Amino acid sequence: MEPPESAAGGRKRRRRGGGRNRRKPSSSSQQAPAPAAAPPPSSSPPAKRRRKDGTGQAAATPKRGNTSSLLDKMRARLSGGHFRMLNEKLYTCSGQDAFDYFKNDPNLFDVYHTGYREQMSHWPEQPVNVIINWLKSHNASWTVADFGCGNAAVAKNVKNKVFSIDLVSDDPSVIACDMAHTPLEPSSVDVAIFCLSLMGTNYSSYLEEANRVLKPSGWLVIAEVRSRLDPNNGGADPEKFSKAIIQLGFSLVSKDEKNKMFILFYFRKKEKSKVAKSIDWPQLKPCLYKRR
């Protein structure tokens, strides 16, 4: 009997797919398994051990940026304290005493003006800028005397000839002197400016000196801290302040009180100026900053 085809076919398929036709790999063709790849190097340095505080907890390491910020704050507080001390000195001594004080150590004046600029940076409007704009709107041929000029901002921003005057300065264009005794000639200037500079117990002497150097019909422009002229808060009466200057030989042209930080006065010297024999100068309240 002939075997069934299905059985023969099955045998052929088993021979084709069976293990007898598989070649055993030679020993030379066998390779060892590849070693495992090393992990990539970490980009961050190994973590440092953190010291433990008294409670057994890991103490936080202060960051360099935080340390620098703390030092800056400490320096600012020291600088602010130094400024307040110098500011109080200027308001509570005479002009001559202040001149001698800063002449002995000119660096103190730099410390004062650094603190002054920091304080002024918080004001919404700077009075010196108002005065500069006023000058620009008038005659550029006028000669100006800037009493207590600071960093000589007026001279740097107008075309006028400006005599910049202050107690001490490393700027050769600034006249360093007691503002009650300047080297300017009598009746030699058209405008005298006091921008927050009526400091000292003898501030009236500065105004008398301004009267001396001003030409007839010359302008006297004063910017003063509002609190110094607030009688409800211990300051002087602004009407009495204006009256004293009028008795010096001036007329009040206008007064600008719209700024919440300062008041501006615009006086003009009379053609035939006559100074009263006795002037009742009101005491201006010292502008002192609170200690923190």
Side-chain angles (χ1 to χ4, degrees):
M1 291 178 60
E2 293 181 1
E5 288 184 19
S6 58
R11 284 194 297 271
K12 289 178 183 177
R13 281 196 294 271
R14 280 197 298 273
R15 280 198 299 269
R16 282 197 297 268
R20 283 186 297 176
N21 291 337
R22 292 178 184 169
R23 280 186 181 178
K24 291 183 179 180
S26 63
S27 61
S28 61
S29 64
Q30 290 181 354
Q31 296 181 0
S42 173
S43 59
S44 58
K48 294 182 180 179
R49 276 187 181 176
R50 300 174 71 188
R51 293 176 299 172
K52 293 184 178 181
D53 59 17
T55 63
Q57 300 294 324
T61 305
K63 294 182 180 179
R64 184 175 298 177
N66 292 345
T67 305
S68 176
S69 176
L70 180 61
L71 288 173
D72 289 342
K73 289 179 180 178
M74 291 175 67
R75 290 191 189 102
R77 291 191 67 179
L78 288 171
S79 177
H82 212 171
F83 164 73
R84 285 189 292 274
M85 180 197 74
L86 295 172
N87 184 69
E88 184 170 344
K89 175 75 175 177
L90 285 170
Y91 274 107
T92 56
C93 72
S94 69
Q96 184 62 50
D97 288 343
F99 176 67
D100 294 338
Y101 182 75
F102 285 105
K103 187 178 180 181
N104 291 333
D105 191 350
N107 290 330
L108 291 178
F109 210 55
D110 294 333
V111 172
Y112 169 77
H113 277 291
T114 299
Y116 173 81
R117 286 191 292 271
E118 166 61 23
Q119 294 291 334
M120 293 301 295
S121 67
H122 302 292
W123 284 31
E125 187 174 29
Q126 306 290 319
V128 68
N129 292 335
V130 178
I131 294 172
I132 287 169
N133 291 333
W134 180 85
L135 277 173
K136 287 180 177 180
S137 67
H138 288 76
N139 198 331
S141 66
W142 284 349
T143 302
V144 179
D146 185 8
F147 288 81
C149 65
N151 63 351
V154 173
K156 294 173 182 176
N157 288 278
V158 298
K159 295 179 180 179
N160 305 70
K161 178 180 179 180
V162 179
F163 292 108
S164 299
I165 304 164
D166 216 326
L167 293 172
V168 179
S169 180
D170 54 6
D171 185 341
S173 69
V174 175
I175 301 169
C177 66
D178 174 8
M179 295 192 301
H181 305 285
T182 72
L184 303 183
E185 295 293 326
S187 302
S188 58
V189 302
D190 300 283
V191 183
I193 297 170
F194 290 90
C195 185
L196 309 183
S197 56
L198 287 178
M199 307 170 76
T201 54
N202 65 322
Y203 78 90
S204 60
S205 300
Y206 309 154
L207 294 170
E208 290 167 357
E209 177 66 1
N211 184 42
R212 183 187 72 84
V213 302
L214 272 171
K215 299 175 183 177
S217 300
W219 288 89
L220 173 62
V221 181
I222 300 173
E224 193 49 79
V225 179
R226 180 177 284 275
S227 62
R228 300 191 76 198
L229 295 166
D230 181 4
N232 297 321
N233 198 26
D237 186 338
E239 298 303 322
K240 290 183 179 180
F241 177 70
S242 297
K243 182 180 177 181
I245 296 176
I246 290 170
Q247 290 177 326
L248 189 60
F250 291 83
S251 58
L252 178 61
V253 177
S254 65
K255 182 169 63 173
D256 183 355
E257 297 182 275
K258 65 177 179 290
N259 194 286
K260 67 177 183 179
M261 304 300 290
F262 59 87
I263 302 176
L264 272 164
F265 298 88
Y266 297 90
F267 295 93
R268 202 158 192 185
K269 186 176 179 178
K270 295 176 181 178
E271 284 286 343
K272 294 182 180 180
S273 177
K274 186 178 180 180
V275 181
K277 291 182 180 180
S278 177
I279 300 175
D280 183 17
W281 291 100
Q283 183 177 356
L284 296 182
K285 178 184 176 182
C287 185
L288 305 180
Y289 294 93
K290 294 180 181 178
R291 289 174 173 81
R292 296 176 183 176

